[in-house]
Amino acid sequence: MLDLTRTTLAVAFTLAGGAYAVAQDLPRLTVYTYDSFASEWGPGPALKAGFEAQCTCTIDFLGTDDAIAVLRRVQLEGAATEADVVVGLDTAIAGEARATGLFAEHGLDLSGLVLPSEWTDAQFVPFDYGYFAYVYNTEALPEPPTSFEELIALPDDFKIVVQDPRSSTPGLGHLLWIEAAYGERAPEIWAGLAPHILTMTRGWSEAYNLFLSGEADMVLSYTTSPAYHAVAEDDDRFAYAEFSEGHLPQVEVAGILASSDQQDLARDFLAYLTSPEGQAEIPTTNWMYPVVDLGDALPEAFTAQAQPETILALDEDAVTANSRLWIEQALAAIR
Amino acid sequence: MPPSAERLSRPYRPFRLAAGAGLSLAILGLVILVLSSILRAAGAEGESAALRVDIPHLLRMSAIQAGLSTALSLFVGLLIAWALNRLRFFGRDLVIALFATAIVTPGVVVAFGLLTIWGRNGWINRTLEALLDTGIGNPIFGLGGILLAHVTLNGAFAARILLARLDAIPAARLKTGQSLGLGAFERFRIIDWPMLRGTLPGLGAIIFLLCFTSFPIVLLLGGGPANQTLEVAIYSAVRLDFDLRGAVVLALVQIIVCSGIILATTALSPVPASTGPSRAQTWADGTMARLLQWLVLGLGLGAFALPLIVVIVDGLGPGLGRVIASSSFWSAAIASVAIGLASATLTLALALALGLGRAAATDRWLKLVLGLPAFAYLAVPAIVLALGFFLFVRDMGVSPTRAAPIVLVLANALLALPFAIATLGPPLEALASSRGRLIRALDIGGFRQFQLLEWPLLARDMGVVFALAFCFSLGDLGVISLFGTDSFSTLPLLMVRALGAYRTNDAAVIAALILLLTLFAFLALPRLFAWIANARSR
């Protein structure tokens, strides 16, 4: 029995080890990112192929389950980390990431990028963005609410499904959106939303799935979600509900670790990531808006519904200092 | 039986005792190692945001939810096991296998299966709306939904374990009962109950702990932050607050509470009845009892099997060809099966070492101590275990990515261990207490004892344990989320990735295939083990 265990373990070891037997001679760039970025459906494989074709290097994407996990991992590893680049932090945790002092300056000129607001960050390079919004089915819901207040005023059986801000990136984004729109009045808005909240899921995918199976009228997601259904499923029934309070953008960023011994290669990768070739891969794999003008290369679905008119913003330091407090207030308000 | 007589009736087995005790210490050491790795990585300064949570409130909420879930699951499991033990029909084995699959399927998959039936847009509502122009609304969110999901997951599992006990009632005893003309109720009280009551406390403890620490289901069906568990607070302490010290403190609270529950139930656990080779049941109850049994079975099938069948039916739709054609599916499937086989082997070895050691022990306290480590995985929060493993592997100088499969095998084996012990523990104990004198009289060694007695009599149960552990490993997302993966993937991981990339259909296909594989394992593996045992004894 023990022999069998040992043999099986040895087989597992070999299986796992075999995957890492790769060419040693080329310079190697290790990118930590969230799982769906690295997965076969995400931008990872195409970016790897595109960048390796021009860099004479090997690039490894290592997926951890979400953006916060990526940050926590580099924090735990500190200067000993294998990572050269981190891809996929968002504006909600950028402040905290910056405060760790683990990130180097990117030194790239980003003035040509198209973003919700001008980009002047010395450490983080934006590579896509979207806005937090409620997504709905236009057939089932011909007249969606046009503001939080309108949503609150609807009958209690109008249900939305959202994510827990403590465990989910969009869940935290949702909270920050309400904070940006209402500030001190945010707890009041949460209390108003309470009867409409069907449930608060652990992650985005459970919530989105609940919505797709018809359990809720709207789901907290991104303004770009309808584009997925239009492009990949040829289904244009989905839209986002534009709110008159405005929408908070989620900008996804990448950064170079100061501990990396591949600073130049890392910078080249970030330049590629924000180049038109790299950006062309983003919309239909990560389902977000590109940060350059792709012209006709951007599927029409992304422009079929215009981006929100009013754009909100939150100060990075305020987010870092207060998000825990805001979470407690919001949870208390809906309890 | 007075203790001295008890001691005399069991053969002295120092190796079994030493192996069991050594293993217990090793698992305890592992838990300490995990927690201390985290503490070492935690900063020393600063106030702990995580500790601001209202711990007594969380404990109270979790205890109420878990207590109700456990009581309901055991009751329902008992009823179904009773019905299944008495009834013979075509496809019975398939039904039994189906019941066993619930607990090893990813909880979220089962929850979505339930929603397809009970949800606002589910079958019941749509049927009622079509026929009567009214519906049942949204009954599945809130405490009711959590209980429904937990009873679905655990009640069916309880039925599977209890059925194994009932099926092991020696034919001679049944014959005696039948000749005495026992009624259905008397038969249950006199013949069945003594078999079952040794299993109930351990089973109850497992179910309680599972529900106490359940997290994705509580969030998915909880209907908001009113229904929370301590595990959520720990998760957010690690992820959001990055307050590792606070996380360890909360984890310790959870471990202490869980250990208390385990100790209480194991200490209360009565001596199980003896076991024998299972024979085909030929004694049918009276008409009324049989009607009730069919009713229980019908309701059980409707409530438990339907959500799983829905998952399979939904999954075997349009996306099937695309998923099966992709190479990533096959590499994930192969990795899952390899890891499943490795961790099932490890589970069986661990469970036998602990179970045989425990059965050989005559001292009450030693028994208690040997029973504790089986529950380690249920008491230690998954995220804390993951983080601790991650830090430990790094401290050892091994690349976490490379260690991921090994850690996964170990974690999955620990996950399945309590279930393995619940399945094997009572019959091993029963053998030790009923055949001890015989073994002493024969004066045979421990290995011969295993070869002649334990293996032939329990081969089928070991097959169940192997299948259970294999399937747990197939369905578990495991602890590798922090480890990071590039080319390496398992089926549940692939499913989650598909969900995260809007690929709902692909995810449904993968979920269905996981379920089918699980079902196959539950049908085939116990038979395989029983067949090997029979072939050898012939």
Side-chain angles (χ1 to χ4, degrees):
Chain A
M1 185 59 69
L2 269 176
D3 265 353
L4 186 56
T5 313
R6 211 173 295 143
T7 319
T8 327
L9 281 174
V11 170
F13 243 126
T14 323
L15 278 179
Y20 299 90
V22 275
Q24 297 293 314
D25 31 338
L26 292 178
R28 168 174 294 274
L29 193 72
T30 304
V31 178
Y32 282 7
T33 183
Y34 51 85
D35 208 65
S36 60
F37 192 94
S39 87
E40 57 174 312
W41 298 287
L47 291 174
K48 177 179 165 74
F51 186 59
E52 282 178 353
Q54 63 180 60
C55 73
T56 18
C57 70
T58 308
I59 178 164
D60 288 329
F61 284 100
L62 200 85
T64 346
D65 68 357
D66 64 11
I68 290 191
V70 178
L71 175 62
R72 296 316 177 209
R73 178 157 177 179
V74 292
Q75 277 180 281
L76 286 171
E77 294 180 336
T81 184
E82 287 166 46
D84 302 298
V85 173
V86 165
V87 167
L89 303 176
D90 77 345
T91 27
I93 51 170
E96 211 183 320
R98 197 188 310 279
T100 63
L102 293 170
F103 291 90
E105 300 205 345
H106 56 70
L108 294 173
D109 175 19
L110 303 174
S111 56
L113 301 187
V114 188
L115 282 152
S117 59
E118 201 195 344
W119 196 264
T120 53
D121 196 311
Q123 271 119 24
F124 294 122
V125 175
F127 65 90
D128 66 18
Y129 70 98
Y131 301 86
F132 298 109
Y134 296 112
V135 169
Y136 67 101
N137 180 332
T138 52
E139 258 173 29
L141 184 66
E143 284 176 38
T146 59
S147 67
F148 281 109
E149 315 228 316
E150 240 186 80
L151 166 57
I152 290 168
L154 286 169
D156 282 359
D157 66 356
F158 186 90
K159 295 294 182 192
I160 59 172
V161 52
V162 301
Q163 302 83 7
D164 196 309
R166 292 167 300 175
S167 56
S168 149
T169 311
L172 183 58
H174 180 227
L175 178 119
L176 296 179
W177 175 23
I178 294 174
E179 201 61 46
Y182 282 95
E184 305 236 301
R185 278 187 61 208
E188 187 189 317
I189 295 297
W190 277 102
L193 289 178
H196 300 290
I197 295 178
L198 178 71
T199 196
M200 262 186 160
T201 61
R202 169 183 170 167
W204 173 87
S205 56
E206 290 107 314
Y208 206 77
N209 226 358
L210 278 177
F211 163 69
L212 287 182
S213 43
E215 294 302 319
D217 301 282
M218 303 200 301
V219 59
L220 191 278
S221 188
Y222 300 95
T223 53
T224 45
S225 300
Y228 168 79
H229 300 283
V231 173
E233 296 173 342
D234 206 18
D235 181 349
D236 51 14
R237 289 174 303 163
F238 296 93
Y240 78 87
E242 182 163 1
F243 275 18
S244 57
E245 291 96 338
H247 290 255
L248 183 70
Q250 181 196 36
V251 183
E252 292 198 281
V253 301
I256 303 169
L257 286 155
S259 56
S260 164
D261 53 4
Q262 300 279 1
Q263 296 288 330
D264 291 340
L265 190 58
R267 191 174 309 118
D268 289 348
F269 175 67
L270 293 192
Y272 170 76
L273 184 62
T274 48
S275 70
E277 303 97 279
Q279 283 291 300
E281 305 295 346
I282 296 285
T284 53
T285 50
N286 224 27
W287 304 102
M288 296 285 264
Y289 302 118
V291 294
V292 299
D293 187 355
L294 289 177
D296 289 345
L298 183 68
E300 208 192 315
F302 283 87
T303 47
Q305 187 176 8
Q307 294 192 13
E309 207 148 285
T310 314
I311 293 165
L312 301 170
L314 270 180
D315 178 53
E316 184 180 289
D317 296 332
V319 171
T320 312
N322 299 322
S323 28
R324 180 78 210 182
L325 176 72
W326 292 338
I327 289 173
E328 278 171 20
Q329 286 174 347
L331 293 182
I334 56 174
R335 190 158 282 152
Chain B
M1 204 183 294
S4 55
E6 167 80 23
R7 192 157 295 153
L8 277 178
S9 73
R10 288 186 196 215
Y12 181 53
R13 292 277 178 254
F15 285 121
R16 290 185 176 195
L17 286 174
L23 200 58
S24 295
L25 285 177
I27 294 178
L28 178 71
L30 189 72
V31 172
I32 293 174
L33 210 66
V34 158
L35 293 180
S36 63
S37 295
I38 300 175
L39 277 182
R40 231 185 353 229
E45 78 301 328
E47 58 129 21
S48 188
L51 297 182
R52 286 211 303 268
V53 299
D54 185 352
I55 296 178
H57 172 75
L58 283 179
L59 287 180
R60 203 164 49 242
M61 293 299 298
S62 305
I64 292 173
Q65 177 268 107
L68 285 172
S69 298
T70 309
L72 282 171
S73 300
L74 286 181
F75 178 68
V76 168
L78 208 63
L79 273 179
I80 292 180
W82 174 69
L84 270 174
N85 173 251
R86 303 295 198 265
L87 300 174
R88 288 292 174 277
F89 52 92
F90 179 73
R92 179 174 177 269
D93 282 2
L94 186 69
V95 170
I96 294 171
L98 202 58
F99 279 164
T101 53
I103 202 164
V104 296
T105 311
V108 173
V109 170
V110 175
F112 274 101
L114 283 171
L115 279 167
T116 311
I117 291 162
W118 293 93
R120 184 176 82 168
N121 195 29
W123 292 2
I124 294 180
N125 262 319
R126 269 188 290 175
T127 312
L128 286 176
E129 266 155 34
L131 295 178
L132 306 167
D133 207 27
T134 174
I136 51 171
N138 250 337
I140 194 158
F141 293 94
L143 184 61
I146 297 175
L147 290 182
L148 183 61
H150 281 164
V151 172
T152 305
L153 285 166
N154 305 313
F157 168 72
R160 178 68 188 86
I161 298 287
L162 295 174
L163 177 66
R165 306 280 69 240
L166 289 181
D167 281 351
I169 294 177
R173 199 173 312 166
L174 288 177
K175 212 169 272 173
T176 317
Q178 197 170 9
S179 65
L180 287 173
L182 294 182
F185 178 74
E186 290 289 283
R187 175 181 175 190
F188 178 80
R189 194 174 63 85
I190 296 171
I191 297 180
D192 296 341
W193 181 245
M195 272 315 265
L196 297 174
R197 62 183 187 147
T199 307
L200 285 176
L203 192 59
I206 291 174
I207 296 176
F208 186 90
L209 294 189
L210 274 180
C211 301
F212 191 83
T213 57
S214 160
F215 163 17
I217 288 194
V218 170
L219 284 191
L220 183 65
L221 299 177
N227 286 300
Q228 297 286 9
T229 65
L230 196 56
E231 189 112 353
V232 183
I234 297 168
Y235 187 86
S236 87
V238 173
R239 304 301 284 279
L240 195 64
D241 303 325
F242 203 47
D243 173 8
L244 300 185
R245 215 156 38 90
V248 170
V249 173
L250 291 178
L252 280 174
V253 170
Q254 178 160 319
I255 291 171
I256 290 167
V257 171
C258 291
S259 304
I261 291 158
I262 299 160
L263 277 177
T265 49
T266 7
L268 286 175
S269 178
V271 179
S274 69
T275 187
S278 110
R279 289 277 155 74
Q281 183 81 244
T282 49
W283 175 17
D285 284 325
T287 319
M288 280 310 284
R290 285 180 70 79
L291 275 179
L292 186 61
Q293 284 154 7
W294 280 111
L295 182 71
V296 164
L297 186 69
L299 287 176
L301 268 180
F304 294 152
L306 217 51
L308 300 179
I309 292 171
V310 161
V311 171
I312 294 176
V313 171
D314 277 0
L316 301 183
L320 183 63
R322 187 176 58 234
V323 170
I324 291 213
S326 75
S327 65
S328 59
F329 169 77
W330 288 106
S331 59
I334 290 167
S336 282
V337 170
I339 286 177
L341 289 176
S343 52
T345 311
L346 187 60
T347 306
L348 191 56
L350 293 176
L352 279 177
L354 282 173
L356 290 173
R358 201 160 179 247
T362 44
D363 183 83
R364 187 184 163 80
W365 289 103
L366 185 58
K367 263 193 202 304
L368 212 58
V369 171
L370 289 177
L372 262 183
F375 296 90
Y377 191 97
L378 289 180
V380 183
I383 179 125
V384 166
L385 202 61
L387 182 63
F389 272 140
F390 172 81
L391 291 168
F392 175 65
V393 165
R394 272 192 61 80
D395 289 349
M396 300 277 290
V398 179
S399 152
T401 315
R402 198 165 296 202
I406 307 298
V407 171
L408 202 54
V409 167
L410 184 59
N412 285 337
L414 287 179
L415 167 66
L417 194 55
F419 303 92
I421 291 282
T423 312
L424 283 183
L428 283 175
E429 181 65 33
L431 271 183
S433 68
S434 67
R435 312 283 165 96
R437 282 173 198 282
L438 174 70
I439 296 163
R440 281 178 76 96
L442 290 174
D443 193 27
I444 52 174
F447 181 74
R448 290 289 287 165
Q449 177 184 343
F450 184 78
Q451 208 182 14
L452 292 175
L453 266 174
E454 279 133 353
W455 165 246
L457 285 178
L458 297 180
R460 207 182 162 85
D461 283 328
M462 289 183 206
V464 172
V465 164
F466 194 87
L468 200 65
F470 176 76
C471 298
F472 257 118
S473 177
L474 274 188
D476 189 51
L477 283 165
V479 293
I480 50 168
S481 62
L482 250 184
F483 283 75
T485 50
D486 41 11
S487 50
F488 170 75
S489 174
T490 61
L491 285 178
L493 206 56
L494 196 67
M495 180 188 80
V496 167
R497 281 184 187 152
L499 274 178
Y502 291 92
R503 311 272 160 170
T504 321
N505 290 334
D506 291 8
V509 174
I510 299 167
L513 292 174
I514 293 177
L515 251 180
L516 282 177
L517 195 56
T518 307
L519 206 55
F520 173 75
F522 271 120
L523 278 174
L525 289 173
R527 279 164 194 233
L528 181 70
F529 272 66
W531 181 76
I532 295 173
N534 285 335
R536 198 174 293 167
S537 63
R538 220 172 272 141

